[in-house]
Amino acid sequence: MTLFKTTLISLILLGSPLAAHATSFDCNLGHSTTEKLICHNPDLSKLDDELGKLYWKARRAVPDKRSFRADSDAKWTWRETHCTDETC
């Protein structure tokens, strides 16, 4: 790869909203109130990224992955339905 291409790719990535905030999901695809709150708050973005890493670590470690996923999905649905501010 040429130096020009490498520099151009770096500039594009640095200018991207995802480079500024780490999240466990693609902020360009986030549509819910909670996803927008997470994407627009650097502290929440960092916490979400950490939570995402812990989620995958736990998911790999549990023996009953189906139950873990069902429980996680239920909690995610509750959050999407009830959380409308940064405190939640």
Side-chain angles (χ1 to χ4, degrees), residues 8-80:
L8 182 59
I9 290 170
S10 297
L11 288 173
I12 290 169
L13 291 175
L14 288 174
S16 136
L18 294 177
H21 306 299
T23 60
S24 65
F25 59 93
D26 183 348
C27 281
N28 293 318
L29 301 176
H31 299 294
S32 72
T33 300
T34 51
E35 290 169 331
K36 289 176 184 176
L37 286 168
I38 291 167
C39 290
H40 291 95
N41 181 312
D43 294 329
L44 289 179
S45 295
K46 183 178 177 185
L47 290 171
D48 181 74
D49 183 50
E50 292 174 20
L51 181 62
K53 290 174 185 174
L54 289 172
Y55 168 84
W56 284 105
K57 186 176 181 178
R59 186 170 167 179
R60 285 189 296 271
V62 297
D64 187 352
K65 293 179 184 359
R66 185 174 297 201
S67 292
F68 178 84
R69 178 82 189 262
D71 183 58
S72 175
D73 287 351
K75 288 178 172 78
W76 180 85
T77 300
W78 185 93
R79 183 200 77 178
E80 290 296 298

